Amino acid sequence: ATVEALAVDIQNHLTHQPVAAAPPALRYRAGKFARRHRQALAALAMMVLVLAGVLLAVWTSVRTVREHAYVESLVHRRSLADAHMLIGNQKYDEAVTKIEPLLRSKYVGRQARLAHAQIRLEQKDFAAAITELEDLVGEPSGHDETTGQAHAMLANIYYEGDPCAPGQPGDYHQLWKEHREQAEELIGNTAVYQFLRARATPNVQEALTLLARALELDRQHYDSLRERAYIYQGQHDYYDMAMDAACMITIQPRNPQGYDLKAVALREMGRPQEALPNHNAAIELSPDDPDLYEERRETYLRMQQYELALQDAQKCAQLRPNEPSYFYKPFLVYTAMGQYDQAAEHFARFMAS
């Protein structure tokens, strides 16, 4: 190295430039570059940190919104499931209370409106039901399963003419045909469509065939199992009724209806001791339902456990004091016990009320 080269290296060192005497390592050159542009690099680092903070805040916000939406959707779907359970148990007023906040839900709004229309049908409010169902099938996005169910329900309504104006002329057969064709196109191969057809037919054997078809398509279709269990009960086929009720319990273990139907089937098969745990399970799930106590009262009565039967009869009257049939039940228990004075006294109170 010459004296001039050494002088140049000294000058470069003082001005944070690379020197020729050192090996040209990347780390060495980078360090020199950083010293020469210290302020610019500090500003750039600050900008990177700010940008990273903004991106983190945006990501956190998006994640929070998504988590909130997910939780809200779960809550809405759970409320709708509870409403369907109440409809199945014929507790329509309670079901309406559950459904009304969901009618405008962006997650289950259409399904909630369908369930609301179903309640109107069960309550024989055909005009309101038709209006709600026609609104559902008339929506631009109406090409889903909910629309298909609405078409099927409208077809069932128009099957025997206009329920709102019986006896008046009208081409209701054409309406039935149109809605049924739409339903078959949208949900023809689903269990729910076979179930809705079974609900509409007055022929018991045809209903059983349709329900069997529904359960072939979906072995866990709860509504079809429940409907078939009721048909079996009407036919005194308590073994098959108990089998369907057991399937209902497996599918919806928090629904008292399966336990209640199984208890009734076992009682009618002459197995009241086996029926009692199912009665108790149903009541534990729905302790304010007088119908469940009434069924257990009948089982206790068959077992000649009159004191327990009387307690359940009194519980029914307490839960629904304005229902004459429940107020009358203790009279039957007193009579079975041979306590005719108490029976006469209770009957007198019943007649006075």
Side-chain angles (χ1 to χ4, degrees), residues 13-50:
H13 174 73
L14 293 175
T15 58
H16 305 297
Q17 296 287 344
V19 296
L26 178 62
R27 182 177 178 183
Y28 172 76
R29 293 181 177 274
K32 290 297 184 180
F33 179 83
R35 289 192 176 188
R36 291 199 310 274
H37 304 285
R38 185 176 302 170
Q39 293 182 348
L41 289 175
L44 179 61
M46 183 62 67
M47 290 176 61
V48 170
L49 289 174
V50 170

Side-chain angles (χ1 to χ4, degrees), residues 38-338:
R38 185 176 302 170
Q39 293 182 348
L41 289 175
L44 179 61
M46 183 62 67
M47 290 176 61
V48 170
L49 289 174
V50 170
L51 180 60
V54 170
L55 292 175
L56 179 61
V58 170
W59 179 80
T60 303
S61 177
V62 171
R63 181 178 178 182
T64 301
V65 170
R66 287 180 177 176
E67 289 179 349
H68 175 75
Y70 177 70
V71 171
E72 187 179 42
S73 70
L74 290 180
V75 171
H76 286 194
R77 294 181 194 283
R78 177 60 184 271
S79 294
L80 184 61
D82 291 343
H84 279 299
M85 185 178 72
L86 292 168
I87 293 171
N89 293 329
Q90 300 181 1
K91 297 181 178 180
Y92 302 125
D93 291 340
E94 295 179 43
V96 168
T97 301
K98 283 275 188 182
I99 288 173
E100 284 183 341
L102 304 176
L103 294 177
R104 297 185 179 278
S105 168
K106 60 183 178 182
Y107 310 107
V108 298
R110 284 173 55 78
Q111 297 95 314
R113 288 160 59 197
L114 183 72
H116 196 267
Q118 180 184 349
I119 294 172
R120 292 290 176 255
L121 280 179
E122 298 292 348
Q123 295 175 330
K124 309 301 181 185
D125 188 354
F126 296 108
I130 289 173
T131 299
E132 294 181 13
L133 292 171
E134 291 286 2
D135 287 343
L136 280 171
V137 301
E139 292 179 352
S141 59
H143 292 285
D144 55 5
E145 183 174 325
T146 300
T147 306
Q149 292 182 45
H151 277 297
M153 291 166 69
L154 284 166
N156 290 347
I157 292 172
Y158 288 122
Y159 181 72
E160 296 181 355
D162 183 10
C164 304
Q168 295 187 14
D171 195 9
Y172 305 120
H173 178 77
Q174 183 62 28
L175 289 172
W176 164 76
K177 182 179 178 182
E178 291 173 359
H179 286 299
R180 178 167 179 174
E181 288 175 353
Q182 289 293 324
E184 288 180 345
E185 179 182 347
L186 292 170
I187 59 169
N189 294 322
T190 65
V192 68
Y193 180 62
Q194 305 303 324
F195 164 73
L196 290 172
R197 289 185 61 196
R199 288 288 305 271
T201 181
N203 186 297
V204 173
Q205 290 306 316
E206 182 182 1
L208 286 173
T209 300
L210 291 167
L211 292 171
R213 193 176 303 164
L215 291 166
E216 287 176 3
L217 293 167
D218 181 1
R219 293 184 179 181
Q220 295 192 347
H221 193 253
Y222 191 89
D223 290 341
S224 294
L225 286 167
R226 182 189 63 229
E227 189 73 14
R228 193 168 68 175
Y230 280 129
I231 293 176
Y232 286 148
Q233 183 179 13
Q235 294 180 326
H236 305 291
D237 184 357
Y238 298 116
Y239 176 81
D240 285 331
M241 177 186 174
M243 293 298 99
D244 278 353
C247 292
M248 292 167 64
I249 294 170
T250 301
I251 297 167
Q252 293 188 15
R254 302 300 299 170
N255 190 332
Q257 197 167 36
Y259 299 98
D260 183 51
L261 287 172
K262 186 177 181 182
V264 171
L266 290 170
R267 181 187 68 210
E268 298 303 325
M269 291 167 67
R271 296 154 61 182
Q273 288 288 358
E274 296 176 52
L276 279 178
N278 290 280
H279 282 305
N280 296 338
I283 290 172
E284 183 178 351
L285 289 169
S286 185
D288 296 327
D289 188 343
D291 295 338
L292 302 179
Y293 291 96
E294 166 57 19
E295 291 295 352
R296 191 173 67 176
R297 179 202 66 81
E298 179 63 26
T299 300
Y300 279 140
L301 202 60
R302 301 271 187 99
M303 299 171 67
Q304 298 183 355
Q305 295 188 19
Y306 298 122
E307 293 294 339
L308 293 173
L310 182 60
Q311 291 178 19
D312 278 350
Q314 291 170 339
K315 184 67 174 181
C316 290
Q318 174 189 342
L319 289 171
R320 200 170 291 171
N322 297 324
E323 179 65 42
S325 63
Y326 287 134
F327 193 76
Y328 178 70
K329 298 299 183 181
F331 167 79
L332 299 177
V333 180
Y334 283 128
T335 302
M337 296 171 67

